[in-house]
Amino acid sequence: MEKVTKILAIFFVVGVIIIVALMVSTIKPKETHAASTITFWKYQCIDTMKISRDDARKWKDKVDLQQNIDWEMQTIKGLGANCVAIDTPYDAEFMPYLQKWVTSARYHNLHIWFRGNFAGWEQWFNYPKITSTEMYLNKLKTFIISNSQLFEDGDIFTGAPEAENGGPFDQVEKNEYPDFRAFLIDQHTIEQQSFKKINKNVEINWQSMNGGLAKRMLDQHTIDTIGHTVTIDHYIKDSKDMGIYIRYFATKFKSKVIIGEFGAPIPEINGSMTEDEQAAFVNKLMQELVANRDNVRGINYWDLYDGSTALMNPDQTPRKVAAIIKRYYSPAVVEGQITNQLQAPLENVTIKSNDGSALAVTDRNGHFSFPTAADAITIIVSNGENINTLTIKNIDPSQKITRNIVLMPQNIRLLEKIQIFFYDHFKR
């Protein structure tokens, strides 16, 4: 009798353990929601140089100036950008014009990348040439401190984009590399001190330059000193070259990369392109940027309006390439929860696309989310032992798609079989 009692006690304990395990494994996780906007890059900019800089004198007296500025900001926002590059010079003559652009950008809730310069650096608008870096740095300090109202936290400021094209440099020869590096560091220091003085948290490490020069000239000390970031204005004939450059800086210098300018076609590089050819080429460029997005903090398409790379036609209708930019700047979001056959959430499950690209990893509640610019995608879900595959078709930009996935084990162990038995008979 005593032996039977012990056996019953053992079965009782085992039963309690199974029931507790079942209860723990089937606890419903707390509901969470994906962020309303998930993007590939922190900063997704579109440039306005053709109007905000090149036509600064011609446009400033037009009666429909504000209407045109507002149209550019509204269009940029509608394409999914969260940032606008404004290239108006920093000289006093252009301040009323610059303020109009800034005011409209704020109204449309866009971060601003200030990509102007003092007109004398490259002798824009026939300004006398700035030949001294000391003169330039003094003007830069004064401009920032005297115009604190222009800036907001989260903006980006570059004092001299593509500085190699002006000042005392006017193309940087190899023997000038040390002086140019020193100038980049001094500029970064002045900007850092000036924005600290006006108490504005503005990104200042986007020292943009030609990609080829950056690769030849930059060294580890300079990159580390100016904020561990390399900013390249990079136009290319082969889209794969973009990925090669990004990986070069990421691997050799452990640096993040900003794509300060990109687009197509540049006639001397790409020749002429039809709308279809432009859209196809830019789509390949965007695929390279997405594939290397872990090393890219921001990108800036050049340019919205006017010129060979424009997203919009002269009559303000969108070119086909505009839809490509929108698909990547305003991607669809796939979200959901991964559970086992008992509806218990599974943590650290990887979600990859069918080409092997990593998309997401589930959190402690089994939730995942990731952006996609594809119109159809096949995802592979795996925890190392078990695999599930899911195909999603007819995906539109900005769409939110929810897919909850049950990851079934290939080999069910005894305890799991007992849990499933209890689940089927008592939980449903």
Side-chain angles (χ1 to χ4, degrees), residues 269-315:
I269 298 175
N270 311 107
S272 61
M273 289 182 174
T274 66
E275 278 201 44
D276 287 329
E277 290 169 338
Q278 180 192 25
F281 186 85
V282 170
N283 187 53
K284 289 182 179 179
L285 274 175
M286 299 304 290
Q287 289 173 353
E288 283 293 320
L289 292 172
V290 169
N292 292 277
R293 66 187 179 276
D294 289 345
N295 294 313
V296 177
R297 293 189 64 243
I299 65 176
N300 178 44
Y301 187 88
W302 192 90
D303 173 90
L304 176 70
Y305 181 73
D306 199 6
S308 61
T309 65
L311 299 174
M312 309 300 289
N313 289 307
D315 64 357

Side-chain angles (χ1 to χ4, degrees), residues 24 32 68 80 186 192 233 242 244 314 320 330 403 428:
V24 170
T32 62
N68 278 277
D186 290 343
Q192 189 175 53
D233 296 354
M242 188 68 79
I244 291 171
K320 291 181 179 179
S330 185
R403 293 289 187 273
R428 291 182 178 174

Side-chain angles (χ1 to χ4, degrees), residues 79-124:
L79 290 173
N82 57 18
C83 163
V84 56
I86 299 174
D87 310 84
T88 308
Y90 303 142
D91 306 272
E93 172 191 353
F94 303 101
M95 283 302 296
Y97 188 61
L98 175 58
Q99 186 63 65
K100 289 181 180 294
W101 286 89
V102 170
T103 299
S104 186
R106 301 297 181 213
Y107 177 82
H108 289 89
N109 196 30
L110 291 164
H111 291 301
I112 298 173
W113 181 11
F114 292 86
R115 291 192 75 230
N117 200 335
F118 296 101
W121 188 259
E122 295 185 44
Q123 294 183 286
W124 300 333

Side-chain angles (χ1 to χ4, degrees), residues 121-415:
W121 188 259
E122 295 185 44
Q123 294 183 286
W124 300 333
F125 306 104
N126 297 316
Y127 268 63
K129 188 175 182 64
I130 297 174
T131 58
S132 163
T133 57
E134 182 179 1
M135 179 192 302
Y136 163 81
L137 292 171
N138 286 333
K139 290 170 70 69
L140 182 63
K141 179 179 179 180
T142 300
F143 173 77
I144 294 171
I145 294 174
S146 301
N147 294 285
S148 61
Q149 80 286 350
L150 288 176
F151 309 108
E152 287 188 358
D153 292 351
D155 285 342
I156 310 105
F157 181 86
T158 302
E162 297 187 19
E164 69 270 18
N165 295 326
F169 303 105
D170 196 15
Q171 303 306 311
V172 180
E173 302 297 335
K174 190 170 184 179
N175 65 312
E176 294 180 300
Y177 287 178
D179 290 340
F180 193 68
R181 294 182 194 123
F183 169 71
L184 295 175
I185 292 171
D186 290 343
Q187 182 179 226
H188 183 270
T189 300
I190 289 295
E191 292 173 355
Q192 189 175 53
Q193 293 172 348
S194 300
F195 281 109
K196 183 177 181 180
K197 187 168 185 177
I198 66 173
N199 196 31
K200 295 292 176 69
N201 184 19
V202 173
E203 297 257 3
I204 58 170
N205 52 352
W206 294 27
Q207 307 272 19
S208 61
M209 66 193 72
N210 175 275
L213 174 64
K215 192 173 183 180
R216 294 189 303 270
M217 181 273 305
L218 287 173
D219 59 13
Q220 190 71 60
H221 171 70
T222 305
I223 293 173
D224 290 346
T225 305
I226 65 174
H228 312 287
T229 302
V230 174
T231 304
I232 56 174
D233 296 354
H234 200 48
Y235 298 97
I236 50 182
K237 190 174 185 65
D238 185 344
S239 59
K240 292 187 180 301
D241 187 57
M242 188 68 79
I244 291 171
Y245 265 69
I246 293 167
R247 292 189 293 274
Y248 170 81
F249 293 113
T251 301
K252 184 170 182 178
F253 299 108
K254 308 302 179 186
S255 169
K256 293 298 183 182
V257 177
I258 304 293
I259 308 301
E261 288 183 15
F262 76 101
I266 301 296
E268 57 267 34
I269 298 175
N270 311 107
S272 61
M273 289 182 174
T274 66
E275 278 201 44
D276 287 329
E277 290 169 338
Q278 180 192 25
F281 186 85
V282 170
N283 187 53
K284 289 182 179 179
L285 274 175
M286 299 304 290
Q287 289 173 353
E288 283 293 320
L289 292 172
V290 169
N292 292 277
R293 66 187 179 276
D294 289 345
N295 294 313
V296 177
R297 293 189 64 243
I299 65 176
N300 178 44
Y301 187 88
W302 192 90
D303 173 90
L304 176 70
Y305 181 73
D306 199 6
S308 61
T309 65
L311 299 174
M312 309 300 289
N313 289 307
D315 64 357
Q316 298 187 348
T317 58
R319 294 175 63 81
K320 291 181 179 179
V321 67
I324 300 298
I325 292 297
K326 183 172 183 177
R327 181 168 283 276
Y328 287 90
Y329 274 20
S330 185
V333 174
V334 180
E335 62 177 10
Q337 185 186 38
I338 297 176
T339 62
N340 63 14
Q341 68 277 17
L342 300 172
Q343 294 189 1
L346 298 177
E347 185 179 3
N348 292 327
V349 175
T350 60
I351 298 96
K352 294 183 178 182
S353 60
N354 58 344
D355 65 1
S357 301
L359 299 172
V361 178
T362 57
D363 63 17
R364 62 188 299 272
N365 291 320
H367 289 115
F368 68 92
S369 63
F370 62 87
T372 180
D375 55 11
I377 188 172
T378 296
I379 61 175
I380 299 169
V381 179
S382 172
N383 62 358
E385 298 178 359
N386 311 311
I387 297 176
N388 200 341
T389 302
L390 174 69
T391 297
I392 305 171
K393 299 180 179 180
N394 302 319
I395 303 173
D396 294 322
S398 305
Q399 183 181 6
K400 182 176 285 188
I401 302 165
T402 301
R403 293 289 187 273
N404 296 320
I405 301 168
V406 177
L407 191 58
M408 296 291 293
Q410 295 177 349
N411 298 306
I412 302 177
R413 292 183 289 269
L414 176 61
L415 179 58

